[in-house]
Amino acid sequence: MQHNTLDEKYMRMALRLAQKAKGRTSPNPMVGAVVVKNGKVISMGFHHRAGESHAEAIALKNAGPAAQGATLYVTLEPCSHTDKRTPPCTPLVMQSGVRRVVVAMIDPNPRVSGGGIKALRKAGVDVVTGVMEQEALKLNEAFVKYITTGMPFVTLKIAQTLDGKIATASGESKWITGGKAREEGHRLRNTEDAILVGINTILKDNPSLTTRISNGRDPVRVILDSRLRIPLTAKVLVQQASSHTIMATLATASKTKVKKLQGAGTEVLLVKPSRGRVDLRYLMKELGRMGIMSVLIEGGAEVHASAIRAGIADKVVLFIAPMLMTGTNSLCSIGGVSPTRLDRATRLKDVTTRFIGEDLMIEGYIR
């Protein structure tokens, strides 16, 4: 469907506004809105965080009576239902007197999907849909998965050498990639609801799993530890002021240790087992129930392999350093058992590449 270039210009503006709240609106989508009249932008707005005003409500309030006869550009179909904290936007749009509404994507929420558009058309508003739809879908890829499956959108983040290694034979891994790539990794953490690692990463590196950029937000930390081997002195347990830690373990873990962890303010989640370990699919459903919309796995070789095998990973972000580790006894970035046939290999689609400093960053979606 052809759309005019002016519609695309203003929708691009709305998408840029929406993007400003990346990582802050969960479990809501990011939404931007722009009000245009006689070829001039008269007001703008974006959804800042869950529980606060929606983008359309802000933009229309800023426009006031001037919205009469104007065009409203919005990156997501205006909602026609009341959530727990905010009223629906469709009646506001109708009352504002806008003549035309341009929408990037239909709301994937089955309770809304198309309802807002239908109500606006019924009220005599001219509605155009699908303008920059692909860009809008990509922006809200986590929300789309979460609202349609109840599970978070999962990204595997791996920093490796050109020959796919993440540590030497002795376990040394700091630092394979350069400072700029590590900074990009922290920017990634800043936009995710949770970060997940396995217990071996904690025992080996004792990381804080925080976001070290200005105005950064620390994601919830999720640790896979089926036998609760975590030391009570681990940084993720001691430093819980900025974000809390969830220990995902099995019912067979030590009850005494569970009580000690809970006493120290750590959340302990008993997850059903799969091959003697935490069942990752079950865990993702539990995290979804908690309102966690996106998870960044910085796991370690076995955790990466388990995530791919369990079918929970949606996207892979690889930082590749211009370095060859060599040797079969160095650690591969993805563990597990290799498939016997090529057609069983995991393929990526929509792959993009760019350089971050000296390192190559590759992003792709798991088919």
Side-chain angles (χ1 to χ4, degrees), residues 34-37 42-43 56 59-60 63-73 78 89-102 120 123-127:
V34 175
V35 181
V36 177
K37 193 173 183 178
I42 57 170
S43 72
E56 308 92 307
L60 291 170
Q68 193 79 31
T71 297
L72 169 69
Y73 291 87
C89 289
T90 312
L92 282 175
V93 177
M94 291 176 195
Q95 288 154 19
S96 72
V98 297
R99 188 175 51 81
R100 186 169 174 259
V101 175
V102 181
L120 288 170
V125 179
D126 175 18
V127 183

Side-chain angles (χ1 to χ4, degrees), residues 184-199:
E184 188 62 31
H186 282 284
R187 274 198 284 275
L188 210 51
R189 285 182 184 183
N190 179 48
T191 62
E192 302 284 327
D193 291 347
I195 181 169
L196 181 147
V197 301
I199 183 58

Side-chain angles (χ1 to χ4, degrees), residues 146-347:
Y146 174 76
I147 207 75
T148 54
T149 67
M151 288 162 75
F153 184 90
V154 178
T155 303
L156 294 188
K157 187 216 132 195
I158 301 169
Q160 64 173 47
T161 61
L162 263 175
D163 53 346
K165 308 294 186 177
I166 56 171
T168 64
S170 67
E172 190 190 338
S173 60
K174 281 185 166 65
W175 295 104
I176 284 172
T177 50
K180 284 196 167 73
R182 293 202 297 278
E183 202 175 298
E184 188 62 31
H186 282 284
R187 274 198 284 275
L188 210 51
R189 285 182 184 183
N190 179 48
T191 62
E192 302 284 327
D193 291 347
I195 181 169
L196 181 147
V197 301
I199 183 58
N200 290 331
T201 297
I202 301 292
L203 297 175
K204 186 171 125 335
D205 301 332
N206 192 21
S208 301
L209 301 181
T210 50
T211 301
R212 292 187 282 286
I213 55 172
S214 67
N215 298 321
R217 183 194 93 227
D218 293 333
V220 170
R221 294 167 289 209
V222 182
I223 319 295
L224 303 176
D225 188 1
S226 43
R227 303 205 302 278
L228 283 188
R229 292 184 290 149
I230 193 163
L232 295 170
T233 52
K235 284 180 187 169
V236 290
L237 300 181
V238 179
Q239 305 169 352
Q240 293 206 61
S242 59
S243 174
H244 78 296
T245 298
I246 298 171
M247 297 301 301
T249 190
L250 304 180
T252 48
S254 153
K255 304 279 180 286
T256 316
K257 188 81 174 263
V258 168
K259 281 202 172 73
K260 277 185 182 164
L261 287 166
Q262 288 169 332
T266 302
E267 191 169 348
V268 179
L269 201 57
L270 299 180
V271 180
K272 74 178 184 119
S274 167
R275 305 181 185 201
R277 291 179 177 176
V278 166
D279 183 320
L280 289 179
R281 261 197 110 66
Y282 182 88
L283 173 62
M284 289 306 130
K285 283 180 181 153
E286 286 298 305
L287 295 178
R289 274 196 274 275
M290 293 176 179
I292 289 174
M293 199 161 81
S294 60
V295 175
L296 182 69
I297 296 185
E298 292 193 21
E302 291 309 312
V303 174
H304 295 152
S306 301
I308 291 169
R309 191 175 59 230
I312 62 157
D314 299 287
K315 186 177 182 179
V316 181
V317 177
L318 281 167
F319 292 95
I320 301 176
M323 179 198 299
L324 296 169
M325 186 89 72
T326 74
T328 53
N329 58 345
S330 52
L331 190 61
C332 210
S333 60
I334 300 173
V337 180
S338 179
T340 50
R341 298 202 335 246
L342 258 183
D343 62 7
R344 299 246 172 99
T346 302
R347 290 191 176 271

Side-chain angles (χ1 to χ4, degrees), residues 61-138:
K61 189 181 173 192
N62 291 343
Q68 193 79 31
T71 297
L72 169 69
Y73 291 87
V74 63
T75 58
L76 180 77
E77 170 187 4
C79 58
S80 53
H81 71 300
T82 304
D83 70 17
K84 291 184 189 104
R85 297 176 277 199
T86 44
C89 289
T90 312
L92 282 175
V93 177
M94 291 176 195
Q95 288 154 19
S96 72
V98 297
R99 188 175 51 81
R100 186 169 174 259
V101 175
V102 181
V103 175
M105 64 180 271
I106 306 290
D107 194 329
N109 185 342
R111 294 193 317 171
V112 182
S113 202
I117 287 163
K118 202 186 276 176
L120 288 170
R121 283 184 175 144
K122 204 173 160 188
V125 179
D126 175 18
V127 183
V128 178
T129 61
V131 176
M132 303 201 74
E133 185 178 15
Q134 289 312 309
E135 291 84 345
L137 284 164
K138 186 170 164 56

